[in-house]
Amino acid sequence: MNTRTHSPVKTPGPVMVDIEGFALNADDIRRIRHPLTGGVILFTRNFQDRAQLMALTQAIRNERDDVLIAVDHEGGRVQRFREDGFTHLPAMRQLGRLWDHDPVIACKAATATGYVLATELRACGIDLSFTPVLDLDYGESGVIGDRAFHSEPRVVTRLAQSVNYGLALGGMANCGKHFPGHGFVKEDSHHELPVDNRSLEEILEKDAAPYFWLGIGLAAVMPAHVIYPQVDPNPAGFSSKWMTILRQELGFDGVIFSDDLSMEGARFAGSVVEGARAALKAGCDMVLICNSPDKADEILSGLEYPQDEAARRSQARLVRLFPQQKALDWDALHKEAQYRQAIEAVSALMQS
Protein backbone atom coordinates (compact mmCIF):
# COMPACT_ATOMS: atom_id res chain seq x y z
CA MET A 1 0.00 0.00 0.00
CA ASN A 2 1.29 3.48 -0.86
CA THR A 3 1.38 5.53 2.34
CA ARG A 4 2.73 8.73 0.81
CA THR A 5 0.85 11.90 1.73
CA HIS A 6 0.04 14.31 -1.10
CA SER A 7 -2.81 16.68 -0.40
CA PRO A 8 -3.70 20.27 -1.28
CA VAL A 9 -4.36 20.76 2.44
CA LYS A 10 -1.13 20.76 4.43
CA THR A 11 -1.35 19.10 7.84
CA PRO A 12 2.19 19.11 9.25
CA GLY A 13 2.76 17.35 12.53
CA PRO A 14 4.54 18.86 15.57
CA VAL A 15 7.91 17.06 15.25
CA MET A 16 10.94 17.99 13.12
CA VAL A 17 13.38 15.14 12.51
CA ASP A 18 16.69 14.85 10.67
CA ILE A 19 18.06 12.27 8.23
CA GLU A 20 21.24 10.25 8.25
CA GLY A 21 23.10 10.83 4.98
CA PHE A 22 23.09 12.00 1.37
CA ALA A 23 19.96 10.05 0.42
CA LEU A 24 16.90 8.74 2.22
CA ASN A 25 17.12 5.27 3.71
CA ALA A 26 14.22 3.11 4.87
CA ASP A 27 14.30 4.52 8.42
CA ASP A 28 14.33 8.10 7.15
CA ILE A 29 11.31 7.38 4.96
CA ARG A 30 9.46 5.74 7.84
CA ARG A 31 10.01 8.78 10.05
CA ILE A 32 9.08 11.28 7.35
CA ARG A 33 5.84 9.42 6.63
CA HIS A 34 4.87 9.36 10.31
CA PRO A 35 1.82 11.59 10.90
CA LEU A 36 3.53 13.37 13.82
CA THR A 37 6.34 14.54 11.55
CA GLY A 38 6.00 18.08 10.26
CA GLY A 39 9.56 19.01 9.33
CA VAL A 40 12.98 17.75 8.28
CA ILE A 41 16.17 19.59 9.24
CA LEU A 42 19.31 19.14 7.14
CA PHE A 43 22.96 19.28 8.22
CA THR A 44 26.37 19.36 6.56
CA ARG A 45 26.39 15.56 6.58
CA ASN A 46 23.46 15.71 4.16
CA PHE A 47 25.36 17.79 1.58
CA GLN A 48 27.71 16.40 -1.03
CA ASP A 49 26.98 18.81 -3.88
CA ARG A 50 24.04 20.80 -5.23
CA ALA A 51 22.73 18.07 -7.51
CA GLN A 52 22.66 15.60 -4.62
CA LEU A 53 21.02 18.19 -2.31
CA MET A 54 18.29 18.91 -4.84
CA ALA A 55 17.68 15.19 -5.33
CA LEU A 56 17.42 14.79 -1.56
CA THR A 57 14.90 17.59 -1.06
CA GLN A 58 12.84 16.26 -3.98
CA ALA A 59 12.89 12.79 -2.44
CA ILE A 60 11.55 14.25 0.80
CA ARG A 61 8.80 16.03 -1.16
CA ASN A 62 7.95 12.77 -2.91
CA GLU A 63 7.26 11.22 0.48
CA ARG A 64 5.46 14.17 2.05
CA ASP A 65 4.55 17.50 0.50
CA ASP A 66 3.49 18.93 3.84
CA VAL A 67 6.75 18.78 5.77
CA LEU A 68 8.89 21.88 6.17
CA ILE A 69 12.48 21.42 4.99
CA ALA A 70 14.77 23.53 7.16
CA VAL A 71 18.45 24.13 7.92
CA ASP A 72 20.69 26.19 10.21
CA HIS A 73 22.29 28.41 7.58
CA GLU A 74 23.11 31.71 9.30
CA GLY A 75 26.44 32.64 7.76
CA GLY A 76 29.90 32.62 9.31
CA ARG A 77 30.70 29.41 11.16
CA VAL A 78 27.07 28.25 11.06
CA GLN A 79 26.56 27.63 7.36
CA ARG A 80 25.74 24.05 6.42
CA PHE A 81 26.36 24.29 2.66
CA ARG A 82 29.53 26.04 1.51
CA GLU A 83 30.71 24.40 -1.72
CA ASP A 84 29.54 23.90 -5.30
CA GLY A 85 28.40 27.45 -5.87
CA PHE A 86 26.96 28.40 -2.48
CA THR A 87 28.04 31.88 -1.45
CA HIS A 88 30.12 32.10 1.71
CA LEU A 89 28.02 34.34 3.93
CA PRO A 90 29.44 36.66 6.60
CA ALA A 91 29.11 36.13 10.31
CA MET A 92 26.48 38.56 11.58
CA ARG A 93 29.08 40.36 13.70
CA GLN A 94 30.60 41.68 10.44
CA LEU A 95 27.33 43.48 9.76
CA GLY A 96 27.41 44.93 13.26
CA ARG A 97 30.94 46.22 12.76
CA LEU A 98 29.91 47.77 9.46
CA TRP A 99 26.99 49.45 11.26
CA ASP A 100 29.46 51.18 13.59
CA HIS A 101 31.00 52.87 10.54
CA ASP A 102 27.98 53.29 8.25
CA PRO A 103 24.49 52.17 9.35
CA VAL A 104 22.92 52.73 5.93
CA ILE A 105 25.45 50.57 4.11
CA ALA A 106 25.18 47.95 6.87
CA CYS A 107 21.41 47.66 6.42
CA LYS A 108 21.82 47.32 2.66
CA ALA A 109 24.44 44.61 3.16
CA ALA A 110 22.16 42.82 5.63
CA THR A 111 19.30 42.83 3.12
CA ALA A 112 21.63 41.50 0.44
CA THR A 113 22.83 38.75 2.79
CA GLY A 114 19.27 37.68 3.56
CA TYR A 115 18.38 37.67 -0.12
CA VAL A 116 21.36 35.55 -1.18
CA LEU A 117 20.78 33.15 1.70
CA ALA A 118 17.11 32.67 0.87
CA THR A 119 17.34 32.42 -2.91
CA GLU A 120 20.22 29.94 -2.93
CA LEU A 121 18.51 27.66 -0.41
CA ARG A 122 15.15 27.89 -2.13
CA ALA A 123 16.72 27.06 -5.50
CA CYS A 124 17.71 23.75 -3.85
CA GLY A 125 14.28 22.99 -2.41
CA ILE A 126 14.72 24.27 1.15
CA ASP A 127 11.89 26.19 2.81
CA LEU A 128 13.39 27.80 5.91
CA SER A 129 16.66 28.72 7.59
CA PHE A 130 16.69 29.14 11.37
CA THR A 131 17.95 32.72 11.25
CA PRO A 132 18.46 35.51 12.36
CA VAL A 133 20.20 35.24 15.74
CA LEU A 134 18.83 38.02 17.97
CA ASP A 135 21.09 37.35 20.97
CA LEU A 136 23.12 40.30 22.22
CA ASP A 137 26.91 40.15 22.07
CA TYR A 138 28.15 40.45 25.66
CA GLY A 139 31.56 39.07 24.71
CA GLU A 140 31.04 36.11 27.07
CA SER A 141 29.27 33.37 25.13
CA GLY A 142 31.45 31.15 22.99
CA VAL A 143 28.50 29.38 21.37
CA ILE A 144 26.95 32.70 20.30
CA GLY A 145 30.08 34.79 19.73
CA ASP A 146 30.21 36.29 16.24
CA ARG A 147 26.78 34.87 15.42
CA ALA A 148 25.38 37.96 17.20
CA PHE A 149 24.99 41.23 15.29
CA HIS A 150 25.91 43.61 18.10
CA SER A 151 25.73 44.37 21.80
CA GLU A 152 23.04 47.07 21.41
CA PRO A 153 19.41 45.90 21.12
CA ARG A 154 18.55 48.75 18.75
CA VAL A 155 21.30 47.76 16.32
CA VAL A 156 20.38 44.07 16.51
CA THR A 157 16.79 44.99 15.71
CA ARG A 158 17.61 47.16 12.70
CA LEU A 159 20.04 44.68 11.17
CA ALA A 160 17.70 41.74 11.80
CA GLN A 161 14.87 43.67 10.14
CA SER A 162 17.09 44.15 7.11
CA VAL A 163 18.06 40.47 6.97
CA ASN A 164 14.38 39.54 7.31
CA TYR A 165 13.51 41.88 4.44
CA GLY A 166 16.10 40.16 2.26
CA LEU A 167 14.75 36.74 3.25
CA ALA A 168 11.22 37.87 2.38
CA LEU A 169 12.35 39.20 -1.01
CA GLY A 170 13.76 35.72 -1.62
CA GLY A 171 10.48 34.09 -0.65
CA MET A 172 11.59 32.73 2.74
CA ALA A 173 10.24 33.21 6.25
CA ASN A 174 12.51 33.85 9.24
CA CYS A 175 13.08 32.49 12.74
CA GLY A 176 14.47 34.72 15.50
CA LYS A 177 16.51 32.93 18.15
CA HIS A 178 17.18 32.30 21.05
CA PHE A 179 14.31 33.92 23.00
CA PRO A 180 14.57 35.73 25.38
CA GLY A 181 18.38 35.75 24.98
CA HIS A 182 21.35 33.38 25.13
CA GLY A 183 24.18 35.89 24.84
CA PHE A 184 24.63 36.74 28.53
CA VAL A 185 25.54 33.24 29.76
CA LYS A 186 28.91 31.60 29.11
CA GLU A 187 27.73 27.99 29.06
CA ASP A 188 26.88 26.25 25.78
CA SER A 189 23.40 24.72 26.03
CA HIS A 190 24.48 21.94 23.65
CA HIS A 191 26.61 20.57 26.48
CA GLU A 192 25.39 22.26 29.70
CA LEU A 193 22.25 23.82 31.13
CA PRO A 194 22.99 27.56 31.39
CA VAL A 195 21.45 29.67 34.16
CA ASP A 196 20.88 33.41 33.81
CA ASN A 197 20.12 34.97 37.20
CA ARG A 198 19.09 38.41 35.98
CA SER A 199 15.68 39.89 36.70
CA LEU A 200 12.77 39.79 34.29
CA GLU A 201 12.94 43.56 33.94
CA GLU A 202 16.59 43.53 32.87
CA ILE A 203 16.08 40.69 30.40
CA LEU A 204 13.06 42.37 28.81
CA GLU A 205 14.79 45.74 28.65
CA LYS A 206 17.93 44.37 27.00
CA ASP A 207 17.97 40.87 25.52
CA ALA A 208 14.28 40.52 24.67
CA ALA A 209 13.98 44.05 23.30
CA PRO A 210 14.50 43.00 19.64
CA TYR A 211 11.51 40.67 19.93
CA PHE A 212 9.35 43.58 21.10
CA TRP A 213 10.63 45.97 18.46
CA LEU A 214 10.52 43.55 15.55
CA GLY A 215 6.84 42.90 16.19
CA ILE A 216 5.13 41.31 13.20
CA GLY A 217 8.44 41.12 11.37
CA LEU A 218 9.12 37.73 12.96
CA ALA A 219 7.52 34.66 11.42
CA ALA A 220 8.95 32.18 13.93
CA VAL A 221 10.86 32.17 17.21
CA MET A 222 13.09 29.58 18.89
CA PRO A 223 13.44 29.83 22.69
CA ALA A 224 16.74 29.27 24.47
CA HIS A 225 17.63 26.17 26.48
CA VAL A 226 18.47 28.54 29.34
CA ILE A 227 16.95 28.80 32.82
CA TYR A 228 16.06 32.28 34.10
CA PRO A 229 15.28 31.42 37.76
CA GLN A 230 14.09 34.93 38.64
CA VAL A 231 11.28 34.33 36.13
CA ASP A 232 10.61 30.58 36.00
CA PRO A 233 12.40 27.41 37.15
CA ASN A 234 12.02 25.83 33.70
CA PRO A 235 14.20 26.59 30.66
CA ALA A 236 12.50 29.09 28.36
CA GLY A 237 11.46 26.48 25.80
CA PHE A 238 9.59 24.53 28.48
CA SER A 239 8.17 27.56 30.28
CA SER A 240 4.52 28.51 29.87
CA LYS A 241 5.39 31.84 31.52
CA TRP A 242 7.92 32.75 28.84
CA MET A 243 5.56 31.53 26.13
CA THR A 244 2.80 33.71 27.61
CA ILE A 245 5.13 36.72 27.58
CA LEU A 246 5.93 36.00 23.95
CA ARG A 247 2.33 35.46 22.87
CA GLN A 248 0.49 38.01 25.00
CA GLU A 249 2.92 40.80 25.89
CA LEU A 250 4.72 40.75 22.55
CA GLY A 251 1.61 39.83 20.57
CA PHE A 252 3.52 37.16 18.67
CA ASP A 253 1.32 34.86 16.57
CA GLY A 254 3.98 33.03 14.57
CA VAL A 255 5.50 29.60 15.05
CA ILE A 256 7.43 28.71 18.20
CA PHE A 257 10.04 26.00 17.66
CA SER A 258 11.74 24.22 20.52
CA ASP A 259 15.51 24.03 20.24
CA ASP A 260 16.96 20.54 19.74
CA LEU A 261 15.63 18.16 22.41
CA SER A 262 18.81 16.07 22.25
CA MET A 263 20.87 18.97 23.64
CA GLU A 264 22.05 18.90 27.23
CA GLY A 265 19.97 21.99 27.96
CA ALA A 266 16.81 19.96 27.28
CA ARG A 267 17.61 17.16 29.75
CA PHE A 268 15.94 19.22 32.49
CA ALA A 269 12.54 17.98 31.32
CA GLY A 270 13.37 14.29 31.76
CA SER A 271 13.16 11.76 28.94
CA VAL A 272 13.04 12.99 25.38
CA VAL A 273 9.32 12.16 25.17
CA GLU A 274 8.68 14.06 28.41
CA GLY A 275 10.67 16.95 26.97
CA ALA A 276 8.55 16.98 23.82
CA ARG A 277 5.36 16.90 25.86
CA ALA A 278 6.58 19.69 28.13
CA ALA A 279 7.63 21.92 25.24
CA LEU A 280 4.33 21.46 23.40
CA LYS A 281 2.32 21.95 26.60
CA ALA A 282 4.23 25.15 27.35
CA GLY A 283 3.27 26.56 23.96
CA CYS A 284 5.73 25.39 21.31
CA ASP A 285 4.19 24.51 17.95
CA MET A 286 6.97 22.16 16.83
CA VAL A 287 9.79 20.32 18.61
CA LEU A 288 13.16 19.48 17.06
CA ILE A 289 15.02 16.24 17.61
CA CYS A 290 18.42 16.06 15.92
CA ASN A 291 21.43 13.74 15.72
CA SER A 292 19.71 10.96 17.62
CA PRO A 293 17.58 8.60 15.49
CA ASP A 294 16.65 6.42 18.47
CA LYS A 295 15.30 9.43 20.36
CA ALA A 296 13.37 10.54 17.28
CA ASP A 297 11.73 7.11 17.21
CA GLU A 298 10.93 7.41 20.92
CA ILE A 299 9.12 10.70 20.32
CA LEU A 300 7.23 9.49 17.26
CA SER A 301 6.09 6.32 19.03
CA GLY A 302 5.49 7.79 22.50
CA LEU A 303 4.05 11.25 21.95
CA GLU A 304 0.30 11.66 22.16
CA TYR A 305 -0.90 14.64 20.17
CA PRO A 306 -4.68 15.00 19.99
CA GLN A 307 -6.13 16.96 17.10
CA ASP A 308 -7.73 19.61 19.28
CA GLU A 309 -8.14 23.33 18.63
CA ALA A 310 -4.64 24.14 19.91
CA ALA A 311 -3.15 21.59 17.48
CA ARG A 312 -5.13 23.05 14.61
CA ARG A 313 -3.88 26.55 15.45
CA SER A 314 -0.31 25.23 15.50
CA GLN A 315 -0.79 23.58 12.11
CA ALA A 316 -2.17 26.82 10.68
CA ARG A 317 0.88 28.72 11.93
CA LEU A 318 3.24 26.12 10.49
CA VAL A 319 1.55 26.25 7.10
CA ARG A 320 2.23 29.99 6.93
CA LEU A 321 5.98 29.25 6.97
CA PHE A 322 5.87 27.40 3.66
CA PRO A 323 7.07 29.58 0.75
CA GLN A 324 4.24 31.31 -1.06
CA GLN A 325 6.06 31.95 -4.32
CA LYS A 326 7.85 29.69 -6.74
CA ALA A 327 11.63 29.65 -6.42
CA LEU A 328 13.96 30.47 -9.28
CA ASP A 329 16.11 27.55 -10.34
CA TRP A 330 19.88 27.84 -9.92
CA ASP A 331 20.65 28.90 -13.49
CA ALA A 332 17.84 31.46 -13.64
CA LEU A 333 18.86 32.85 -10.26
CA HIS A 334 22.40 33.56 -11.45
CA LYS A 335 21.03 35.54 -14.39
CA GLU A 336 18.85 37.73 -12.18
CA ALA A 337 20.11 41.31 -11.73
CA GLN A 338 18.92 41.59 -8.12
CA TYR A 339 20.83 38.45 -7.16
CA ARG A 340 24.01 39.58 -8.90
CA GLN A 341 23.84 42.93 -7.11
CA ALA A 342 23.30 41.19 -3.79
CA ILE A 343 26.29 38.92 -4.44
CA GLU A 344 28.47 41.97 -5.05
CA ALA A 345 27.38 43.49 -1.72
CA VAL A 346 28.05 40.26 0.17
CA SER A 347 31.44 39.79 -1.52
CA ALA A 348 32.45 43.33 -0.59
CA LEU A 349 31.47 42.67 3.03
CA MET A 350 33.44 39.42 3.13
CA GLN A 351 36.54 41.22 1.84
CA SER A 352 36.29 44.10 4.31
Side-chain angles (χ1 to χ4, degrees):
M1 182 177 67
N2 188 342
T3 59
R4 296 175 184 175
T5 302
H6 295 283
S7 168
V9 178
K10 287 182 168 61
T11 56
V15 180
M16 179 171 282
V17 299
D18 59 4
I19 61 176
E20 295 186 30
F22 295 144
L24 298 181
N25 61 32
D27 287 329
D28 295 326
I29 291 171
R30 172 177 53 80
R31 293 183 191 106
I32 291 169
R33 290 182 180 180
H34 196 287
L36 288 181
T37 298
V40 176
I41 182 169
L42 302 180
F43 291 91
T44 301
R45 67 172 181 270
N46 306 125
F47 177 72
Q48 185 176 40
D49 54 43
R50 278 191 298 106
Q52 168 270 325
L53 180 62
M54 294 173 69
L56 176 59
T57 57
Q58 185 57 55
I60 295 169
R61 297 265 182 252
N62 289 343
E63 297 301 330
R64 288 277 297 276
D65 59 1
D66 62 347
V67 295
L68 196 73
I69 302 178
V71 65
D72 280 318
H73 198 83
E74 303 167 9
R77 58 193 162 96
V78 183
Q79 180 173 340
R80 304 307 186 198
F81 316 134
R82 295 174 178 270
E83 308 301 331
D84 200 10
F86 275 98
T87 302
H88 286 209
L89 301 169
M92 295 301 100
R93 181 181 286 170
Q94 287 184 251
L95 291 165
R97 288 172 176 165
L98 181 56
W99 171 282
D100 290 336
H101 296 284
D102 192 326
V104 173
I105 296 298
C107 287
K108 290 181 179 178
T111 297
T113 299
Y115 185 74
V116 170
L117 187 161
T119 52
E120 290 184 353
L121 290 179
R122 291 215 53 224
C124 295
I126 295 168
D127 302 313
L128 177 71
S129 175
F130 289 113
T131 191
V133 170
L134 301 181
D135 301 313
L136 303 187
D137 181 10
Y138 286 92
E140 295 289 336
S141 173
V143 70
I144 301 302
D146 64 1
R147 297 166 66 192
F149 289 104
H150 206 273
S151 60
E152 290 294 328
R154 176 180 61 90
V155 179
V156 171
T157 302
R158 290 295 302 277
L159 290 174
Q161 285 174 326
S162 297
V163 169
N164 287 353
Y165 180 55
L167 293 172
L169 289 174
M172 181 175 282
N174 61 71
C175 180
K177 59 187 186 184
H178 306 83
F179 178 80
H182 198 313
F184 187 79
V185 293
K186 294 181 180 180
E187 297 83 3
D188 180 350
S189 56
H190 292 84
H191 309 294
E192 302 176 74
L193 179 54
V195 176
D196 185 337
N197 281 301
R198 293 177 299 163
S199 68
L200 174 62
E201 291 73 19
E202 184 175 359
I203 295 167
L204 293 181
E205 180 183 354
K206 295 180 179 178
D207 298 64
Y211 296 88
F212 284 93
W213 295 337
L214 278 169
I216 60 172
L218 285 175
V221 165
M222 179 178 286
H225 282 331
V226 176
I227 294 177
Y228 308 87
Q230 299 300 316
V231 182
D232 192 288
N234 300 300
F238 305 99
S239 165
S240 58
K241 183 164 185 177
W242 278 116
M243 297 301 101
T244 299
I245 289 171
L246 185 57
R247 291 287 189 209
Q248 296 185 6
E249 295 190 27
L250 277 69
F252 178 70
D253 191 37
V255 172
I256 301 176
F257 289 98
S258 82
D259 208 341
D260 179 10
L261 293 179
S262 71
M263 292 165 56
E264 186 64 31
R267 299 283 179 88
F268 177 91
S271 73
V272 70
V273 175
E274 290 169 335
R277 289 175 184 149
L280 294 170
K281 183 178 180 181
C284 290
D285 298 294
M286 179 173 277
V287 297
L288 276 68
I289 181 65
C290 309
N291 305 310
S292 185
D294 291 345
K295 290 181 179 178
D297 286 337
E298 287 180 40
I299 291 176
L300 293 177
S301 63
L303 183 65
E304 306 87 12
Y305 193 67
Q307 281 296 313
D308 55 12
E309 183 58 32
R312 286 188 285 272
R313 286 197 299 268
S314 285
Q315 281 186 335
R317 293 187 190 107
L318 287 163
V319 168
R320 294 202 298 265
L321 291 185
F322 285 86
Q324 302 300 307
Q325 64 193 55
K326 186 177 180 179
L328 291 175
D329 65 37
W330 195 266
D331 291 337
L333 177 63
H334 281 70
K335 296 175 184 176
E336 187 201 46
Q338 185 175 6
Y339 173 78
R340 293 200 304 268
Q341 291 169 1
I343 286 289
E344 290 178 5
V346 173
S347 297
L349 180 61
M350 292 294 288
Q351 294 168 10
S352 63

